[in-house]
C-alpha cells in the first residue's frame, strides 16, 4: 500500500495541472445558495472540500438526470432516415475529486445492475470506466450518517481509486488502484509519506467511525419470506405520510431507475433517458391503463422492499443503500429509512 | 401554541372512542429537528404519538383527497381553508369530517433555519415568542417572528375558518401587513429581468415534484406533465420544460391557493415556488376581491361569471 | 405570462363577434404589427432539449 503526502500549498496547482489530462468534477457551492453540488470544474476552479456533503449525490456525473441515447431523423431524403445514431460522447478520462467514500461505494452497487454478463449499459459503463474516483475521507460524519451499518463507512475504499485524508496543512492520499496512481502522477503528487503518517490514517478512520451515531440492522430481513413481509401490516403506517414525490430517489446515490423518452422538433429528434422514480404513479403504468402499483402504499413498499429485501436476497451482499442519510434529510414529510429498516427487521410474521 | 397538544389528544381520543370517526390525521415527532411526520391514529392509543409545534407546516388537507372513511383532522388556518376548497371541489364530504381547529401562530422556516445554522441543529424548542436552537456546541434564542415561514409572516387567516371543536382560544389575526410586497418587487422589474429572476429561482430544480405533491390542490388523477397523449411538456431537465411545469401548475392553482407554503416547505432545494402562485393570489384578490377557502357557499371566481368582472384586458 | 418575463403585448385578448368582420381585420392587423415590432420570441423556444 502506497501513501502520498500532498502539501496543501501544492494542491491547487496540482488540480490545475491534472485538468490537462482529465475532466475534473468536484463539489462547489451553488450560486447564492448555502448548499453545494458536483459540477465540472473550469480553469482556476478548485473543488470546495468543505462542501462534499452535496444535496444531490454525484451519481449524475456517470448517470445524468437527462442523457441523450440516440439521435434520429424521419426525413426520407436523408440516408439516416429512421436510424438511431448514438450521439458523440466524451468518454475521455474524468475524475471526481472530493467524493465521499460511501457515495463512491454506491457506484459499485449500481454497477451490479448496469454491467451484467447478459446486459451492459454502454452509457453508464463507459462513463464509469472513464472515471477516477478521488475520495475525501469523512472526518465528522453527520448525525444521519449510518454508513458503517451498510458495509461502507466514512473511510470506505470500495469504490475509490484514491482516498484523501485531510490533516490540516496536508493531505494523505492512499493509493487504492492503478487508476488512482496515474491520477496522482498526472497532478504531480509523488511525495511518498513516511510510515508514521500512514499509521495516522487508521487512527483517523477509527475516530470517524466511532463518531457515527446512527445504526440500522437488517440481519433478520433475509430470513423472512418475501410474501410475509410484503403482506405485513406496517406498510400503511410507513407509507401514510408519503406524498409520492421523487426526492428520495433523486437524491439517492444508489437509485438507478430511468425512463426513456423521445422528443422531436420537426423531423429530427432524440431519444433520451431521464431519471425515473418508483414513487411516481407513471412508473409502472401499462399502456392498457392498468397500473399494477396503483396506490401509494404499493409504491412505498416497493422502494423499501427493493432496497432492503429484494436486493439483499438477490445478491446476498448487503442492502441497496450506503447510509449517506440524504433521503432522511430531504424527505418533505420525514419518512426515515432507518425507522423503516428497523420495522422490517423486527417484523414478526403471523404464525 | 406549544400547549395545544393535550387538548388535541383529548379531542382525538374522544372522537375515536365514541366512534365519531374512523381515524384522526395529525403529526408525530420527526426523526430530525424541524421535521414532523404526518400520521394517522385509528385507536386512542395511537393518539399518544401526536405532537403539535411549529414544525407541522405540511398541509394535512392533502391527506383527505377522495378518502372514504370518517376522518378527524387537525387543521391550522390554511389547512381549514384547503379543507373548504376540497369540499367545494367534491374531494371530500363535510359530513365525513370532524375538524379539530388549531389557531396558529406560524410555522418555523426549516430552510431558513438550516441555512442559518450550518452546524447540525439537534434540538428546537419553542415558547410563545421565542425559538431556542441547540446544536452540539451552540445554543441560540431567536424571536419567533423572525424565523417563521414567509407565508406565515404574511398570513391573515391564522384561525381555522371551519371547525367542529377548537384546540385553543382563537388568536389575534395579523393586520396591516403588506402581503404582496415580494410580488410587487418582481412586478417592478422589466421583462428581461423578470425572466432572469425566474431562471435563477428555478436553477436548482430537480423536478422531483415535491411542490406539486405536497399541494392539496394538486390532486389530478394524471397531472399534465405526466400526460403522454398528447404530451404537453418535455420530461427532461431542459429549462423550458422545468419552467413550463412550474408556471402551468401555478395557473391551475389560481383562485384556489391559500398560500399555505407546503410547496416551499417540501422543496428539497428550498426553491420559493410561491413566487408563482403568489402573483395569481394577488391578481385574484385585486380583480375579484377573492381569497380562497373562506366559505363553503361562495363559488371560486374562475368558476363563475359576473357582469362586473374586470375585462380591460380584452382589446 | 408578463409577470414571468414575456414582453407586454406578446399576448393579447380580444372579443370579436362573427358579425364584426371589420373589427376582426383591424384586430388581426394590429396584433400582427405589434408582435412584429417586438421581434422574434426569445423565450419558450426549444430547438432541441438540452441534455447531456
Amino acid at each position: 500500500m502506497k501513501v502520498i503526502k500532498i502539501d496543501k500549498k501544492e494542491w491547487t496547482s496540482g488540480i490545475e495541472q491534472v485538468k490537462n489530462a482529465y475532466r475534473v468534477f468536484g463539489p462547489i457551492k451553488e450560486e447564492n445558495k448555502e448548499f453545494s453540488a458536483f459540477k465540472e470544474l473550469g480553469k482556476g476552479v478548485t473543488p470546495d472540500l468543505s462542501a462534499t456533503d452535496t444535496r444531490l449525490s454525484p451519481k449524475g456525473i456517470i448517470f445524468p438526470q437527462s442523457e441523450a441515447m440516440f439521435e434520429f431523423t424521419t426525413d426520407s431524403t436523408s440516408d439516416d432516415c429512421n436510424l438511431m445514431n448514438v450521439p458523440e460522447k466524451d468518454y475521455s478520462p474524468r475524475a471526481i475529486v472530493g467524493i465521499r467514500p460511501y457515495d463512491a461505494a454506491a457506484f459499485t452497487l449500481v454497477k451490479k445492475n448496469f454491467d451484467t454478463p447478459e446486459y451492459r449499459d454502454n452509457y453508464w459503463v463507459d462513463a464509469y470506466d472513464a472515471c477516477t474516483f478521488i475520495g475525501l475521507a469523512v472526518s465528522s460524519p453527520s448525525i444521519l450518517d449510518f454508513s458503517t451499518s451498510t458495509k461502507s463507512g466514512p473511510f470506505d475504499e470500495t469504490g475509490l481509486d484514491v482516498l484523501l485524508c485531510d490533516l490540516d496543512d496536508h493531505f494523505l492520499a492512499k493509493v487504492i488502484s492503478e487508476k488512482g496512481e496515474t491520477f496522482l502522477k498526472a497532478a504531480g503528487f509523488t511525495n511518498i509519506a513516511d510510515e508514521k503518517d500512514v499509521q495516522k490514517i487508521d487512527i483517523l478512520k477509527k475516530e470517524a467511525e466511532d463518531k457515527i451515531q446512527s445504526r440500522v440492522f437488517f440481519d433478520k430481513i433475509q430470513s423472512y419470506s418475501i410474501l410475509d413481509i410484503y403482506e405485513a401490516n406496517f406498510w400503511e403506517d410507513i407509507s401514510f405520510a408519503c406524498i409520492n414525490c421523487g426526492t428520495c430517489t433523486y437524491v439517492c446515490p444508489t437509485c438507478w431507475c430511468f425512463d426513456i423518452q423521445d422528443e422531436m422538433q420537426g423531423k429530427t429528434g432524440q431519444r433520451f433517458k431521464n431519471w425515473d422514480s418508483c414513487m411516481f404513479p407513471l412508473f409502472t403504468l401499462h399502456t392498457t391503463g392498468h397500473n399494477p402499483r396503483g396506490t401509494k402504499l404499493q409504491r412505498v413498499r416497493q422502494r423499501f422492499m427493493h432496497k432492503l429485501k429484494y436486493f439483499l436476497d438477490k445478491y446476498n451482499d448487503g442492502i441497496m443503500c450506503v447510509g449517506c442519510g440524504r433521503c432522511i434529510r430531504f424527505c418533505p414529510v420525514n419518512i426515515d429509512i432507518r425507522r423503516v429498516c428497523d420495522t422490517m427487521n423486527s417484523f414478526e410474521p403471523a404464525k | 401554541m406549544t400547549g395545544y397538544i393535550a387538548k388535541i389528544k383529548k379531542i382525538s381520543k374522544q372522537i375515536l372512542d365514541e366512534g365519531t370517526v374512523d381515524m384522526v390525521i395529525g403529526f408525530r415527532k420527526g426523526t430530525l429537528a424541524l421535521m414532523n411526520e404526518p400520521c394517522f391514529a385509528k385507536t386512542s392509543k395511537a393518539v399518544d404519538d401526536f405532537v403539535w409545534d411549529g414544525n407541522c407546516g405540511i398541509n394535512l388537507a392533502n391527506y383527505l383527497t377522495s378518502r372514504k372513511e370518517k376522518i378527524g383532522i387537525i387543521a391550522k388556518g390554511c389547512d381549514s381553508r384547503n379543507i373548504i376548497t376540497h369540499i367545494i371541489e367534491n374531494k371530500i364530504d363535510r359530513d365525513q369530517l370532524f375538524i379539530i381547529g388549531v389557531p396558529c401562530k406560524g410555522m418555523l422556516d426549516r430552510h431558513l433555519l438550516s441555512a442559518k445554522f450550518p452546524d447540525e441543529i439537534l434540538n428546537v424548542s419553542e415558547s410563545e415568542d421565542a425559538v431556542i436552537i441547540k446544536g452540539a456546541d451552540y445554543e441560540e434564542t431567536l424571536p419567533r417572528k423572525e424565523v417563521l415561514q414567509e407565508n406565515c409572516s404574511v398570513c391573515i387567516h391564522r384561525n381555522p375558518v371551519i371547525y367542529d371543536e377548537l384546540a385553543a382560544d382563537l388568536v389575534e389575526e395579523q393586520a396591516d401587513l403588506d402581503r404582496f410586497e415580494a410580488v410587487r418587487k418582481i412586478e417592478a422589474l422589466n421583462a428581461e429581468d423578470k425572466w432572469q429572476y425566474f431562471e435563477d429561482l428555478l436553477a436548482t430544480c430537480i423536478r422531483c415534484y415535491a411542490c406539486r405533491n405536497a399541494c392539496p390542490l394538486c390532486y389530478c388523477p394524471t397531472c399534465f406533465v405526466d400526460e403522454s397523449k398528447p404530451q404537453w411538456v418535455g420530461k427532461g431537465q431542459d429549462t423550458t420544460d422545468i419552467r413550463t411545469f412550474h408556471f402551468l401548475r401555478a395557473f391551475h392553482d389560481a383562485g384556489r391557493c391559500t398560500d399555505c407554503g407546503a410547496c416551499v416547505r417540501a422543496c428539497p432545494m428550498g426553491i420559493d415556488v410561491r413566487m408563482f402562485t403568489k402573483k395569481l393570489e394577488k391578481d385574484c384578490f385585486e380583480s375579484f376581491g377573492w381569497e380562497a377557502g373562506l366559505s363553503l357557499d361562495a363559488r371560486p371566481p374562475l368558476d363563475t361569471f359576473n357582469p362586473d368582472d374586470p375585462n380591460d384586458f380584452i382589446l | 405570462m408578463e409577470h414571468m418575463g414575456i414582453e407586454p403585448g406578446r399576448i393579447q385578448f380580444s372579443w370579436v363577434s362573427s358579425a364584426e368582420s371589420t373589427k376582426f381585420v383591424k384586430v388581426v392587423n394590429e396584433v400582427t404589427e405589434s408582435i412584429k415590432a417586438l421581434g422574434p420570441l426569445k423565450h419558450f423556444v426549444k430547438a432541441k432539449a438540452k441534455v447531456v
Side-chain angles (χ1 to χ4, degrees):
Chain A
M1 182 196 65
K2 195 154 134 192
V3 176
I4 304 284
K5 186 171 178 173
I6 305 169
D7 193 313
K8 280 202 183 164
K9 283 180 214 136
E10 295 162 14
W11 174 249
T12 309
S13 58
I15 292 294
E16 273 321 293
Q17 185 182 326
V18 88
K19 283 180 194 163
N20 296 324
Y22 293 81
R23 290 166 67 198
V24 176
F25 295 79
I28 43 172
K29 284 258 160 66
E30 292 272 13
E31 215 175 314
N32 304 322
K33 303 271 179 193
E34 74 283 1
F35 57 90
S36 55
F38 278 91
K39 300 226 164 123
E40 184 164 0
L41 307 176
K43 261 200 176 2
V45 186
T46 38
D48 181 352
L49 295 183
S50 69
T52 59
D53 187 359
T54 52
R55 288 206 179 177
L56 285 181
S57 81
K59 76 173 166 186
I61 297 168
I62 307 297
F63 177 30
Q65 185 164 3
S66 297
E67 178 179 18
M69 303 169 75
F70 301 105
E71 290 174 341
F72 55 85
T73 173
T74 53
D75 179 358
S76 55
T77 63
S78 162
D79 290 344
D80 281 345
C81 181
N82 295 335
L83 292 180
M84 289 286 182
N85 293 314
V86 179
E88 208 176 305
K89 296 272 174 186
D90 182 359
Y91 294 124
S92 63
R94 62 179 91 174
I96 311 180
V97 180
I99 187 173
R100 296 191 301 173
Y102 26 83
D103 288 341
F107 285 109
T108 63
L109 299 183
V110 177
K111 194 168 190 287
K112 289 178 194 283
N113 183 57
F114 282 143
D115 191 9
T116 72
E118 296 95 0
Y119 300 104
R120 180 182 194 273
D121 182 316
N122 292 340
Y123 304 96
W124 192 92
V125 180
D126 288 346
Y128 178 79
D129 287 345
C131 191
T132 304
F133 297 88
I134 313 296
L136 178 69
V138 178
S139 54
S140 308
S142 92
I143 55 161
L144 300 180
D145 185 327
F146 57 100
S147 57
T148 43
S149 306
T150 65
K151 291 206 333 173
S152 188
F155 279 61
D156 182 20
E157 296 168 17
T158 316
L160 291 176
D161 299 301
V162 171
L163 176 71
L164 294 173
C165 304
D166 192 332
L167 285 120
D168 298 329
D169 64 338
H170 64 277
F171 292 110
L172 290 177
K174 189 167 176 181
V175 184
I176 297 160
S177 72
E178 237 171 81
K179 255 178 160 179
E181 182 149 22
T182 313
F183 177 90
L184 291 173
K185 255 189 214 148
F189 300 140
T190 49
N191 182 14
I192 292 181
D194 58 45
E195 195 49 40
K196 223 169 68 202
D197 282 335
V198 174
Q199 285 165 359
K200 278 188 201 157
I201 298 179
D202 289 332
I203 298 169
L204 289 171
K205 179 178 177 183
K206 174 107 194 359
E207 276 176 14
E209 286 178 355
D210 287 348
K211 280 187 208 162
I212 287 184
Q213 306 162 24
S214 284
R215 300 259 183 288
V216 298
F217 297 95
F218 50 86
D219 51 303
K220 286 191 267 176
I221 294 180
Q222 235 171 331
S223 67
Y224 306 133
S225 93
I226 285 179
L227 285 180
D228 281 349
I229 200 157
Y230 185 90
E231 305 282 4
N233 58 12
F234 52 67
W235 292 112
E236 188 188 5
D237 181 63
I238 285 173
S239 64
F240 179 79
C242 181
I243 57 174
N244 273 170
C245 72
T247 302
C248 49
T249 46
Y250 283 5
V251 299
C252 178
T254 67
C255 274
W256 61 52
C257 289
F258 62 86
D259 180 34
I260 294 178
Q261 288 281 328
D262 284 358
E263 263 183 32
M264 286 186 77
Q265 271 79 29
K267 287 187 172 173
T268 59
Q270 49 185 346
R271 170 165 296 180
F272 50 88
K273 51 178 187 177
N274 291 320
W275 290 353
D276 204 348
S277 170
C278 52
M279 295 293 103
F280 296 157
L282 218 63
F283 187 72
T284 44
L285 183 66
H286 294 181
T287 49
T288 58
H290 172 64
N291 193 341
R293 266 184 235 140
T295 66
K296 166 164 92 179
L297 182 148
Q298 293 171 319
R299 294 193 281 273
V300 173
R301 176 172 58 196
Q302 165 63 23
R303 172 171 157 82
F304 290 116
M305 286 289 271
H306 188 195
K307 286 201 173 302
L308 308 173
K309 174 68 179 160
Y310 305 145
F311 190 87
L312 187 61
D313 286 357
K314 180 170 178 181
Y315 297 107
N316 195 25
D317 191 22
I319 52 178
M320 194 178 109
C321 170
V322 289
C324 72
R326 283 187 181 88
C327 58
I328 309 171
R329 188 174 303 285
F330 298 113
C331 174
V333 293
N334 193 227
I335 293 175
D336 190 325
I337 192 170
R338 296 170 301 176
R339 187 143 83 176
V340 179
C341 191
D342 287 342
T343 306
M344 287 171 73
N345 202 46
S346 51
F347 167 64
E348 280 174 30
K351 301 225 168 73
Chain B
M1 202 166 87
T2 45
Y4 293 1
I5 188 61
K7 185 87 184 282
I8 291 174
K9 284 185 183 170
K10 187 169 160 252
I11 302 169
S12 303
K13 287 184 180 185
Q14 196 179 344
I15 55 177
L16 280 167
D17 289 344
E18 287 171 356
T20 317
V21 296
D22 305 317
M23 68 193 299
V24 181
I25 298 177
F27 285 93
R28 64 183 169 202
K29 190 161 173 44
T31 57
L32 71 165
L34 298 167
M35 294 297 285
N36 286 330
E37 181 185 358
C39 68
F40 63 85
K42 290 185 178 173
T43 61
S44 56
K45 188 168 168 283
V47 169
D48 288 331
D49 285 344
F50 278 2
V51 292
W52 192 267
D53 57 28
N55 306 309
C56 299
I58 288 293
N59 192 327
L60 293 183
N62 194 28
Y63 294 90
L64 292 178
T65 315
S66 303
R67 287 197 85 104
K68 302 289 175 239
E69 308 97 320
K70 290 201 154 188
I71 300 169
I73 182 163
I74 302 168
K76 315 180 278 290
C78 47
D79 298 330
S80 75
R81 293 172 66 195
N82 278 102
I83 291 172
I84 287 186
T85 307
H86 254 39
I87 297 169
I88 288 178
E89 295 176 358
N90 297 320
K91 287 292 126 190
I92 195 94
D93 265 350
R94 178 68 184 95
D95 298 344
Q96 278 174 270
L97 298 176
F98 188 97
I99 303 166
I100 305 171
V102 177
C104 176
K105 288 199 170 168
M107 292 291 143
L108 307 182
D109 188 333
R110 70 178 181 112
H111 298 300
L112 179 105
L113 283 167
S114 37
K116 212 176 168 92
F117 297 95
D119 291 330
E120 190 86 40
I121 298 172
L122 297 176
N123 187 280
V124 176
S125 48
E126 298 171 60
S127 65
E128 278 308 294
D129 303 309
V131 177
I132 304 160
I133 310 287
K134 278 188 202 151
D137 48 12
Y138 63 89
E139 178 175 329
E140 204 169 317
T141 306
L142 297 163
R144 200 163 194 284
K145 62 175 198 258
E146 278 177 26
V147 293
L148 292 184
Q149 291 182 183
E150 204 215 306
N151 65 301
C152 298
S153 55
V154 297
C155 171
I156 56 167
H157 296 289
R158 294 180 145 186
N159 290 308
V161 292
I162 185 175
Y163 53 83
D164 295 296
E165 198 165 343
L166 280 176
D169 294 337
L170 295 177
V171 295
E172 195 184 332
E173 293 291 0
Q174 306 189 103
D176 301 325
L177 294 171
D178 185 359
R179 286 153 61 209
F180 301 115
E181 189 191 355
V183 182
R184 260 196 300 278
K185 271 191 193 151
I186 302 170
E187 285 171 342
L189 301 172
N190 66 34
E192 224 16 61
D193 289 348
K194 280 177 181 162
W195 184 267
Q196 196 54 46
Y197 173 86
F198 286 104
E199 273 315 80
D200 295 343
L201 185 74
L202 298 178
T204 52
C205 176
I206 54 169
R207 238 179 139 171
C208 64
Y209 300 137
C211 50
R212 176 192 72 183
N213 294 14
C215 178
L217 304 173
C218 281
Y219 54 66
C220 289
T222 307
C223 177
F224 74 97
V225 294
D226 292 336
E227 291 273 7
S228 54
K229 283 186 290 183
Q231 183 162 329
W232 305 103
V233 53
K235 296 183 199 303
Q237 280 300 95
D238 190 280
T239 51
T240 306
D241 297 323
I242 291 176
R243 177 172 307 217
T244 303
F245 157 60
H246 282 285
F247 92 84
L248 274 181
R249 189 186 88 81
F251 269 131
H252 290 171
D253 298 345
R256 305 166 68 219
C257 176
T258 59
D259 200 24
C260 73
C263 49
V264 178
R265 188 181 172 81
C267 178
M269 295 299 170
I271 298 170
D272 191 358
V273 288
R274 283 172 58 248
M275 287 301 106
F276 287 96
T277 49
K278 197 74 188 161
K279 164 68 175 167
L280 293 155
E281 192 197 341
K282 176 172 179 278
D283 285 358
C284 280
F285 183 67
E286 290 175 351
S287 301
F288 309 105
W290 173 259
E291 291 178 272
L294 294 185
S295 160
L296 283 173
D297 304 317
R299 293 305 302 175
L302 300 187
D303 221 39
T304 48
F305 173 72
N306 187 325
D308 299 333
D309 284 346
N311 57 9
D312 51 359
F313 62 93
I314 297 174
L315 292 176
Chain C
M1 295 296 278
E2 283 174 14
H3 187 68
M4 220 171 47
I6 299 299
E7 310 94 314
R10 177 81 63 190
I11 299 160
Q12 303 186 19
F13 290 84
S14 186
W15 181 275
V16 186
S17 148
S18 58
E20 297 177 307
S21 56
T22 41
K23 184 178 175 191
F24 180 74
V25 172
K26 184 167 163 275
V27 168
V28 170
N29 282 333
E30 279 172 7
V31 170
T32 315
E33 268 170 43
S34 64
I35 298 288
K36 273 187 180 161
L38 282 173
L41 181 65
K42 275 181 287 182
H43 305 307
F44 284 117
V45 183
K46 188 176 147 191
K48 184 178 169 188
K50 284 178 211 75
V51 292
V52 180

